Amino acid sequence: MSSRTDEAMIGVIAKSDQAAAVEEFFQLFKTPWEFYQPGRTYDVVVVTSDDVPEVDARLLVIYGANLRTIDARIGVAARARRRGGSLTYRSSQLPVYGELLTFEERDAAILRVSTTAEAAGLRIHGANITVMRLGYDLFDEVCYLLSTGQPPDNAHIPTLDVHITMLREWIVGAEITLLEIPAAPAGYSFAVSLTHDIDFGGMRSHLFDHTMWGFLYRSTIGAVRNLLRGRLSMSRLFQSWRAAASLPFVFVGWAKDFWEPFDWYLTVERNLPATYFVIPFKGRPGDKVAVPHPSRRAAAYDLADLAAGTTRLLREGCELAVHGIDAWHSVERGQEELKRVAGVNGKASIGIRMHWLLFDQKTFRVLEEAGFAYDSTVGYNETVGYRSGTTQVFRPLGARALLELPVHIQDGALFYPERLDLSESEAWKRCSSLIDHARECGGVLTTLWHDRSPGPERFWDNFYLRLVEALRLLDAWFATAGQVVGWFRKRREVSFERVEGSDGAAQTRLRYHGEEILPPLTVRVHRSSSTFVDIPWNGGTAIDVLRSAAPAATVVGSSL
Ligand SMILES: [Zn+2]
């Protein structure tokens, strides 16, 4: 089916090696665009190439650290050039990772270097055109974010989402009607994907191994230290000691296994579908593990030992996915790992997250070739936030079908003494700012809580409970990792095409040929910087973009 509108089409003139980054950027900022074609008229032209042609547009956005011939003509002069920097846009921070050019001061600096206040972005008003001149290359930044990713120090900044916000604000600020499909289902502000990595599979599998001795130490001496640091209550200290004392009875089966992985989560997450990443093979540490103590990476449980639990999870609407060992570097091993978990959950479409979050530049191609539908490894072990600078599901550069569900909040990163080592109130502040951003920009908030985290000696249960209850109160769409990725995949499949209207004016047509989109997408028409109209669209029926509410953006639906 298709629909058409008569709002802005963006023409993009990029460097020849930036096509993939451009395409991915406009999958995230889902708005009509095309590579610039001479002779066509555009309301907005975005340029990163060195040559800026004469364009007939209302808004020209020029990105790049090289001076262009047009700069002299519009009165832009260079001040200094450097590699990387931290900029301030309104109240947002914006790290730049590539080359950065600052400009001689003019009346309309819109973006400044945070430390020196030098102008790094200018707005220049011409007679019929507004020019935005930015001292960095947008698509080089996108490429960096989606491949290398942000250093942990900048994890808290949703850099890629800020880039999208800026471009959107400049377009609607120039009073250009803009159509987009926001990154959240109709009726929701954002999605939530609750996930769990099953690393341990219960205490019972750990008789006399490194994990058991570590637990004994941390639940006794470590617990006293945590009491003294104010991180553990007296009652939790006694609970720790009781758990340690109960160990022999746990191993012989007379006492409850306090690391039983599923019961607690199923209670706390009642009616919320979660995704459990399970290790497919027992006793395999994996190859090419270039971090200390690689042997500790081997799982002590076999998937078959968890059969009662995994059956129950599937009955409750949860998802089982692969917690990969060798899939990140070997197609053949990946296929083996996929097959083992597919045998348990009976699904054709399976996702993966690598154990210990191992990956390299080739991982996405390897996973795709092995047959995985999505990956959810891109995140941090040492902190929380946005490695790729976004809340959105994206396609890693170089992949064809595989999508990435980024991980944002991880229990161990928040609380381990050798990681962020936060108190609960400090951790709450970090999580709140991530939630606030998701509510504002959409996308998905992905949480990762490990199987043994609610029990002794970690006791990260109350914090998680509070987090889930807080999220329940918001207008979030809770879905499994696979469902969230599926929704974003359908959003990606919507395309915009430019057609000539009966009056000769350029119009945009929405195309989608897949299954019904549930929950529906939102087609949003920005009429000005302060008003927009939202129309829910499930991709299957013709829509008329509220003629009455948005007369300048009439969408006529027609079945193809
Ligand atoms: Zn793991």
Side-chain angles (χ1 to χ4, degrees):
M1 82 128 290
S2 76
S3 305
R4 54 172 219 218
T5 71
D6 62 350
E7 68 310 293
M9 169 68 89
I10 300 172
V12 177
I13 310 172
K15 292 178 187 145
S16 57
D17 60 351
Q18 293 179 324
V22 175
E23 275 163 22
E24 193 53 30
F25 178 81
F26 283 105
Q27 279 294 357
L28 306 182
F29 181 18
K30 188 84 186 174
T31 189
W33 73 283
E34 65 183 19
F35 284 111
Y36 180 86
Q37 297 184 38
R40 285 193 165 178
T41 55
Y42 299 91
D43 288 291
V44 183
V45 174
V46 170
V47 185
T48 58
S49 69
D50 285 328
D51 294 321
V52 183
E54 282 289 332
V55 297
D56 176 19
R58 291 165 64 193
L59 179 69
L60 172 61
V61 187
I62 306 170
Y63 291 96
N66 295 329
L67 272 189
R68 315 293 172 44
T69 39
I70 187 177
D71 286 323
R73 214 164 355 118
I74 59 175
V76 169
R79 184 179 168 121
R81 201 181 146 117
R82 72 196 75 181
R83 183 143 193 100
S86 178
L87 308 181
T88 306
Y89 173 75
R90 300 178 190 262
S91 59
S92 303
Q93 265 180 289
L94 181 78
V96 166
Y97 297 101
E99 293 294 312
L100 174 65
L101 184 70
T102 57
F103 305 108
E104 289 300 338
E105 192 66 30
R106 287 189 47 139
D107 43 334
I110 46 155
L111 194 60
R112 292 181 183 279
V113 176
S114 304
T115 47
T116 63
E118 286 164 89
L122 301 171
R123 176 188 276 122
I124 298 131
H125 291 289
N128 302 310
I129 188 168
T130 300
V131 180
M132 311 296 294
R133 181 69 175 92
L134 295 312
Y136 56 88
D137 186 313
L138 172 66
F139 301 123
D140 284 352
E141 295 299 312
V142 170
C143 182
Y144 180 89
L145 291 165
L146 295 184
S147 46
T148 308
Q150 305 198 94
D153 285 348
N154 286 341
H156 61 292
I157 309 170
T159 307
L160 186 37
D161 296 341
V162 176
H163 281 298
I164 293 170
T165 299
M166 290 195 299
L167 185 54
R168 179 191 301 113
E169 287 183 0
W170 298 333
I171 295 170
V172 298
E175 302 298 325
I176 295 167
T177 303
L178 177 78
L179 181 150
E180 72 170 319
I181 298 178
Y188 301 98
S189 295
F190 64 111
V192 172
S193 182
L194 305 173
T195 73
H196 307 295
D197 291 357
I198 306 302
D199 286 357
F200 301 93
M203 174 52 94
R204 223 160 265 151
S205 353
H206 292 275
L207 184 61
F208 299 134
D209 73 358
H210 165 79
T211 298
M212 189 201 83
W213 296 118
F215 165 75
L216 269 180
Y217 175 79
R218 286 189 300 270
S219 63
T220 52
I221 301 165
V224 172
R225 196 188 307 125
N226 279 336
L227 177 84
L228 297 176
R229 297 197 311 144
R231 295 287 168 85
L232 200 68
S233 68
M234 198 55 121
S235 70
R236 287 262 146 129
L237 174 81
F238 289 133
Q239 216 179 320
S240 260
W241 286 355
R242 269 201 304 278
S246 76
L247 263 189
F249 305 100
V250 170
F251 286 123
V252 295
W254 295 350
K256 182 179 162 22
D257 189 333
F258 47 82
W259 285 357
E260 195 289 322
F262 306 125
D263 284 352
W264 190 82
Y265 284 118
L266 281 168
T267 308
V268 168
E269 297 165 349
R270 68 197 176 282
N271 305 324
L272 305 178
T275 298
Y276 291 76
F277 292 88
V278 292
I279 295 178
F281 299 106
K282 181 179 180 172
R284 290 191 191 177
D287 295 336
K288 303 188 182 187
V289 183
V291 288
H293 312 296
S295 65
R296 293 180 191 169
R297 191 163 174 263
Y301 70 88
D302 188 85
L303 196 44
D305 303 338
L306 304 182
T310 50
T311 307
R312 193 170 153 217
L313 291 179
L314 295 173
R315 208 175 47 227
E316 303 273 344
C318 293
E319 177 187 21
L320 278 188
V322 177
H323 202 28
I325 297 292
D326 282 310
W328 66 279
H329 63 80
S330 160
V331 173
E332 202 178 299
R333 301 276 188 83
Q335 287 167 336
E336 229 184 305
E337 294 178 8
L338 187 149
K339 206 169 143 198
R340 181 87 208 272
V341 175
V344 176
N345 81 0
K347 291 249 170 68
S349 170
I350 295 216
I352 187 166
R353 173 182 297 143
M354 301 313 305
H355 189 32
W356 291 15
L357 306 187
L358 299 186
F359 71 98
D360 65 19
Q361 295 300 331
K362 290 192 196 128
T363 294
F364 304 111
R365 297 299 294 269
V366 171
L367 295 177
E368 182 168 273
E369 211 180 321
F372 290 100
Y374 70 88
D375 172 70
S376 183
T377 302
V378 174
Y380 300 97
N381 278 315
E382 61 272 65
T383 189
V384 297
Y386 314 98
R387 189 172 181 130
S388 302
T390 182
T391 56
Q392 289 200 44
V393 171
F394 62 91
R395 189 175 69 181
L397 298 177
R400 287 179 298 264
L402 184 96
L403 296 184
E404 176 65 34
L405 174 81
V407 185
H408 303 108
I409 297 177
Q410 198 211 138
D411 52 359
L414 290 168
F415 299 122
Y416 271 139
E418 62 273 24
R419 307 290 194 205
L420 293 174
D421 192 25
L422 302 178
S423 68
E424 291 201 3
S425 64
E426 290 164 335
W428 190 256
K429 258 188 239 161
R430 296 255 187 161
C431 293
S432 298
S433 78
L434 299 179
I435 295 169
D436 290 346
H437 173 68
R439 292 179 73 187
E440 202 184 308
C441 274
V444 52
L445 185 76
T446 308
T447 65
L448 161 54
W449 234 249
H450 285 80
D451 54 339
R452 55 173 276 201
S453 297
E457 78 303 346
R458 289 182 177 172
F459 293 124
W460 299 335
D461 51 347
N462 286 342
F463 186 89
Y464 188 68
L465 188 62
R466 183 180 171 197
L467 184 64
V468 171
E469 291 308 311
L471 289 169
R472 273 185 202 271
L473 297 176
L474 304 176
D475 52 352
W477 177 49
F478 286 86
T480 63
Q483 289 164 342
V484 170
V485 170
W487 187 87
F488 275 91
R489 196 182 292 285
K490 288 176 179 165
R491 175 176 176 251
R492 298 176 69 89
E493 284 165 10
V494 175
S495 62
F496 303 103
E497 78 179 0
R498 185 176 163 127
V499 293
E500 294 281 304
S502 51
D503 56 356
Q507 296 185 320
T508 304
R509 181 173 284 177
L510 276 72
R511 274 181 181 274
Y512 175 77
H513 296 295
E515 290 168 20
E516 185 179 7
I517 305 169
L518 288 173
L521 302 169
T522 296
V523 178
R524 174 169 294 174
V525 182
H526 296 270
R527 303 272 289 113
S528 73
S529 43
S530 56
T531 58
F532 57 77
V533 179
D534 279 352
I535 305 101
W537 188 51
N538 67 4
T541 50
I543 54 166
D544 188 339
V545 176
L546 303 184
R547 282 166 197 273
S548 53
T554 305
V555 173
V556 182
S558 65
S559 287
L560 284 185

